Amino acid sequence: MIIQKLNQLFGKKVVEMFLIAIGSFTVAIGFNAFLLPNKIVSGGINGLTIVLHEMFNWSPSLVLYIINIFLLIACFILLGKEVFMKSILGSLLVPLFISLLHGMPVATSDPILASIFGGALIGLGIGLVFLGNGSTGGTTLIAKIVQKYTHIKLGILVGICDGIVIISALFIFDLQQVLYAIISILLTSRMVDLVQVGPDLSKNVFIISPKNDEIAKLLMTELDSGVTYLPVEGGHRLDQMIMTSIRENKYTTVKQAVLEVDPEAFMVVSSANEIYGKGFTV
């Protein structure tokens, strides 16, 4: 994995700080170039600053600073030093970069393009911050504080906080703007997942066939794929199942090879976000 190699070269702390800084900068670009000029309230504290900017012309970066500093103090008191230290850098860098990039050229005036690319950029930035074991503060800290006393799942609490911000936008903007915001939120969430675990570039293939030994030999010798035998119990008899993990671009070749050996082979294919081991990470 790239992050592990960078940790070995530069040290874990340096890499984490770099990821948090780059992630925060990316969030600021998405906010200033796409969301703010198109008045797309993407949820969270960033979205709230757009509502307040529209209502009172308050500076988004200043509002972010005030809210995040207050939340960091509450975080230190209620959640402890460890969570505070993981949150402080991203919570302060995001408003700093938003302030520094204020007035940058607007990338597009099309609200659909703005919601797509703004949401994707912010998701990319947040994902990089998370990779650096950091936090951008905002609703995540609010959710963690509430979770400590209610034991509600963190994802649900973050969703509630984002929902409240979206509902508040209905009082300022029309429904169409809010629908654009929902597109942005969905893309942000998906991009965070992609950055965290990577795209689905590998597959797990499970095969049941009377010709398992022949299929296993084919996979290992001709297709250079590892094979694991798993005992399974069918409805009528005991069977053995083969599991093999492959790169996505090899799937069609493997499938055709298996079906040539046994056209009636039973196959189950699932996506694998990350695979560690020989042939994949080394």
Side-chain angles (χ1 to χ4, degrees):
M1 191 177 179
I2 296 176
I3 300 299
Q4 291 174 326
K5 292 181 179 179
L6 290 174
N7 287 342
Q8 293 173 354
L9 286 173
F10 303 106
K12 185 177 179 182
K13 290 294 182 183
V14 173
V15 173
E16 287 180 347
M17 291 179 67
F18 177 76
L19 288 171
I20 293 172
I22 292 296
S24 300
F25 187 76
T26 304
V27 169
I29 292 176
F31 182 84
N32 279 327
F34 293 96
L35 300 188
L36 180 61
N38 289 282
K39 301 177 183 178
I40 296 174
V41 181
S42 61
I45 301 301
N46 285 350
L48 180 61
T49 64
I50 295 175
V51 174
L52 295 175
H53 178 73
E54 182 68 15
M55 291 177 63
F56 308 111
N57 199 31
W58 289 353
S59 166
S61 59
L62 181 60
V63 172
L64 274 175
Y65 265 128
I66 294 171
I67 293 176
N68 278 341
I69 289 173
F70 173 79
L71 288 174
L72 284 170
I73 294 171
C75 171
F76 183 81
I77 296 171
L78 299 173
L79 300 179
K81 183 179 178 180
E82 184 177 352
V83 178
F84 171 80
M85 293 304 295
K86 288 182 177 180
S87 304
I88 186 169
L89 185 59
S91 298
L92 297 180
L93 280 181
V94 169
L96 173 63
F97 286 136
I98 287 177
S99 176
L100 293 175
L101 296 176
H102 177 69
M104 70 178 297
V106 177
T108 178
S109 57
D110 185 322
I112 295 179
L113 291 176
S115 62
I116 291 172
F117 287 98
L121 270 177
I122 286 182
L124 172 62
I126 293 174
L128 290 172
V129 172
F130 286 171
L131 278 182
N133 289 317
S135 168
T136 55
T139 51
T140 303
L141 289 182
I142 295 173
K144 286 182 177 180
I145 292 171
V146 175
Q147 184 190 40
K148 181 178 180 180
Y149 298 98
T150 63
H151 304 292
I152 300 173
K153 290 182 178 180
L154 187 64
I156 294 174
L157 290 171
V158 171
I160 291 172
C161 292
D162 287 343
I164 291 172
V165 174
I166 292 296
I167 290 171
S168 71
L170 283 171
F171 295 98
I172 308 300
F173 305 110
D174 59 30
L175 179 61
Q176 189 170 357
Q177 288 295 112
V178 174
L179 293 177
Y180 292 140
I182 293 173
I183 294 174
S184 177
I185 290 173
L186 292 174
L187 284 168
T188 295
S189 176
R190 180 56 181 155
M191 184 60 74
V192 170
D193 290 340
L194 285 174
V195 174
Q196 290 276 73
V197 299
D200 297 334
L201 296 178
S202 300
K203 300 286 185 185
N204 284 330
V205 183
F206 301 90
I207 307 163
I208 297 176
S209 167
K211 300 181 179 180
N212 272 353
D213 290 337
E214 189 177 342
I215 292 171
K217 183 178 179 181
L218 174 69
L219 290 172
M220 289 186 291
T221 58
E222 295 188 26
L223 300 177
D224 194 28
S225 296
V227 168
T228 301
Y229 281 101
L230 302 173
V232 294
E233 186 174 349
H236 301 287
R237 64 188 187 280
L238 290 174
D239 283 312
Q240 217 173 29
M241 179 168 65
I242 294 174
M243 184 194 82
T244 183
S245 296
I246 58 174
R247 293 292 186 189
E248 194 172 55
N249 58 9
K250 290 178 63 178
Y251 169 65
T252 301
T253 303
V254 169
K255 177 184 176 181
Q256 291 175 347
V258 170
L259 293 178
E260 284 178 7
V261 175
D262 182 5
E264 297 184 357
F266 181 80
M267 299 175 63
V268 177
V269 183
S270 62
S271 296
N273 289 322
E274 287 185 291
I275 299 178
Y276 293 92
K278 186 176 181 181
F280 289 91
T281 56
V282 295

